[in-house]
Structure formats: structure tokens, C-alpha cells
Amino acid sequence: MSSTFSGDETAPFFGFLGAAAALVFSCMGAAYGTAKSGVGVASMGVMRPELVMKSIVPVVMAGVLGIYGLIIAVIISTGINPKAKSYYLFDGYAHLSSGLACGLAGLSAGMAIGIVGDAGVSFGSLRPYRGHHLVFSGRPI
Amino acid sequence: MAATFGDSSSWSTALVKISPYTFSAVGIAIAIGVSVLGAAWGIYITGSSLIGAAIKAPRITSKNLISVIFCEAVAIYGVIVAIILQTKLESVPSSQIYEPESLRAGYAIFASGIIVGFANLVCGLCVGIIGSSCALSDAQNSSLFVKILVIEIFGSALGLFGVIVGIIMSAQATWPAKSV
């Protein structure tokens, strides 16, 4: 029964919190990027409706950040199995730091995508479109 | 309860004294409470812009209620996951409450609740902000509605990510079998 549980008792707390951090912070970044560039697209679209579909690129980039967080959260969460494999505090802290790394990087990338996307679509409407979407890929990968 | 290596640090000594039912209950409360907070925040951001824009362009009202529905969906995700999490609670005999396996189940439900709650909070905010600009741009030019709605759909996917991870993590909440 529980005698097969090997490892430290509180280690899963840190492991699960790492998975939570990965998803929550990445979603915060994705939400910020989507919202900020979405508002820019909407206000630009009033003047130039034909550019709206091209300007959705920063929104897609920001959405991908949420998927990164999802993948890391699932990998961490399925790796916490003290019955199959010993789960010590070392493993718990490692999962916590990997979750924080993914999450906080996703948060910062999302904020960057939001600010740059908003500025890019707003100013891009002033000139003919020349494919400046390359600057939107400020992502952590 | 055998002393393990981890007990020598102060974090562990404090954490093992907290009942897993405390963690579970707080997790379930956060799952539904913070999700509903996100939905409400999004709805009032969208709703106030929608009502204001509809003064000059009354035709936008019925179409733009979709933005409000997207925000509401976030609250429904929170309710569903809270119900699923509370079915994962089992009663264990009091001698087994502080077993490592019970503690792990409590932590899993807690983390699952945090994930769902805060992912839905930011999703609701995101959809609310985009919904408000959707209403305002629709009032100017009705061909923009469907295009901005595409952006809103990307935003609402974030709540779904939270629900998926929350449900996957809640499968880890296995309590020790009762010893007779």
C-alpha cells in the first residue's frame, strides 16, 4: 500500500506547484499578448479593414505560448509518481524550477509580443505592408 | 510517521502538519471562485463598451452578445472542474490522513484548482478586453466583427488549456486505500 511510496513527503507539493506555475504564467503572457495586439488590430481595422487578416500574426504567436505552458505542465504532472519512481525533494525542486522557467519566460515573451504587436499593427497600417511580422517572433525558443 | 530527509527543513515541517483536506478545499474554492472572478471581470469590460457603443449603433447589440457568452464560458469551466475535483475527495481513516499518499492527493487537488482558477481569470480578462474592442470596431464598420471574433477565439482557448491540465492533474489525486 503506502509502503511503496518512496521519497520525501512534501516533494509533490513543489512538483505540482511547478506544473501550475508553467501553465498559469504562460497563460498570463498569452492573454496579455492576445489582448494588447487584438486591441491594436481592432483599432487599426477601422481605418484599413483589408489589413486585419494579415495582422492576426501576433495573436497566433501569443497563443502558441499557452501551448508551451500546457506541454510542460503535462510533462511535469505525469512525472510525479512516487509509487513508480522515487520522488525526492530534489525532483520536486527541479520540477518547480522548470515550471517557473517555462512560465516566467512565457509571461515575458507574451508581454513583448503584446507591446510589439500593438505597435507593429498600428504603425504598419501607415505604410504598405512589407512583411514586418518577423519582429513578432520574440518567443523563448 | 517515519522521519524522512525532508523533515529537517522548516518548509517541510510546516507543510506536513497541514491536512490534505485543507489544501483540497482551498484548491476547489480557488478553482471556482477565481474563474468566476475572471468571467465577471471580462463581462463588465465587454458589457460597458457594448452598451456605450450601441447608443449610436444599435444594430451591434445582438451580435456582440457572443463576446459576453465567451466570457461566461470561462465561469462554466470553473464550475465543471470544481465539481470534478470535489468528486476526487475521499474520506480516509484519521490514522491515514498524514500518510504521504494522502498528502500528495491534497497537493494535486490544490495545484489543479490554482491552475484552473488563474488560467480562467486571465482568459476572462483577455476575452473581455478583445470583446470590448470588437464591439467598438463593429460599431464603426460591420465587416470587422467576424475578423475580431477570430482573435477572441484564440483568447478563449487559454481557459481550455487550464481545464485540460487541471483534469489531467486531478487524476493524480489518489488517496490511500482503507486498511480494515
Side-chain angles (χ1 to χ4, degrees):
Chain A
M1 261 198 309
S2 60
S3 58
T4 56
F5 187 108
S6 61
D8 291 322
E9 289 162 321
T10 56
F13 178 74
F14 298 106
F16 287 130
L17 270 192
L23 186 80
V24 167
F25 289 123
S26 308
C27 276
M28 283 184 189
Y32 187 90
T34 305
K36 197 131 165 62
S37 36
V39 168
V41 168
S43 52
M44 182 267 299
V46 168
M47 290 289 135
R48 305 276 294 269
E50 67 276 6
L51 289 184
V52 168
M53 273 310 175
K54 286 180 193 163
S55 307
I56 287 195
V57 174
V59 172
V60 174
M61 297 283 159
V64 171
L65 292 176
I67 294 179
Y68 294 158
L70 171 87
I71 292 172
I72 297 292
V74 170
I75 289 176
I76 291 177
S77 149
T78 55
I80 302 176
N81 199 350
K83 288 205 215 156
K85 178 179 169 307
S86 324
Y87 195 75
Y88 295 102
L89 272 178
F90 175 80
D91 307 299
Y93 292 149
H95 280 156
L96 174 65
S97 63
S98 71
L100 279 173
C102 171
L104 294 175
L107 173 63
S108 21
M111 295 179 84
I113 292 175
I115 295 172
V116 170
D118 186 26
V121 302
S122 304
F123 294 123
S125 66
L126 300 176
R127 296 262 186 270
Y129 183 74
R130 286 200 212 286
H132 48 258
H133 55 268
L134 293 171
V135 80
F136 297 152
S137 11
R139 292 179 286 123
I141 213 173
Chain B
M1 202 166 55
T4 59
F5 248 102
D7 274 357
S8 59
S9 83
S10 59
W11 279 108
S12 301
T13 321
L15 280 174
V16 296
K17 302 282 198 244
I18 301 178
S19 161
Y21 293 119
T22 307
F23 275 113
S24 310
V26 170
I28 293 170
I30 288 178
I32 185 166
V34 178
S35 301
V36 172
L37 171 68
W41 204 335
I43 291 177
Y44 88 60
I45 291 175
T46 285
S48 47
S49 300
L50 173 59
I51 292 174
I55 295 173
K56 289 286 184 176
R59 58 178 167 81
I60 68 166
T61 42
S62 31
K63 269 197 301 181
N64 280 279
L65 287 178
I66 285 183
S67 307
V68 176
I69 292 175
F70 273 123
C71 289
E72 179 73 23
V74 154
I76 293 176
Y77 297 155
V79 171
I80 290 173
V81 174
I83 291 177
I84 289 177
L85 288 180
Q86 63 94 21
T87 61
K88 297 281 179 188
L89 286 173
E90 287 169 22
S91 78
V92 293
S94 52
S95 60
Q96 287 191 309
I97 289 182
Y98 293 97
E99 290 279 308
E101 202 173 339
S102 313
L103 291 175
R104 186 187 89 140
Y107 302 148
I109 298 179
F110 176 65
S112 180
I114 285 188
I115 284 176
V116 170
F118 286 96
N120 285 337
L121 171 68
V122 295
C123 172
L125 267 173
C126 174
V127 172
I129 291 173
I130 297 176
S132 118
S133 45
C134 181
L136 294 171
S137 54
D138 186 22
Q140 299 267 355
N141 183 349
S142 51
S143 71
L144 286 177
F145 175 69
V146 178
K147 297 175 186 171
I148 310 291
L149 203 65
V150 170
I151 301 181
E152 243 181 278
I153 291 171
F154 275 105
S156 71
L158 301 175
L160 274 172
F161 295 160
V163 171
I164 289 171
V165 178
I167 291 181
I168 288 177
M169 193 178 277
S170 73
Q172 297 260 5
T174 51
W175 301 84
K178 292 183 205 214
S179 58
V180 177

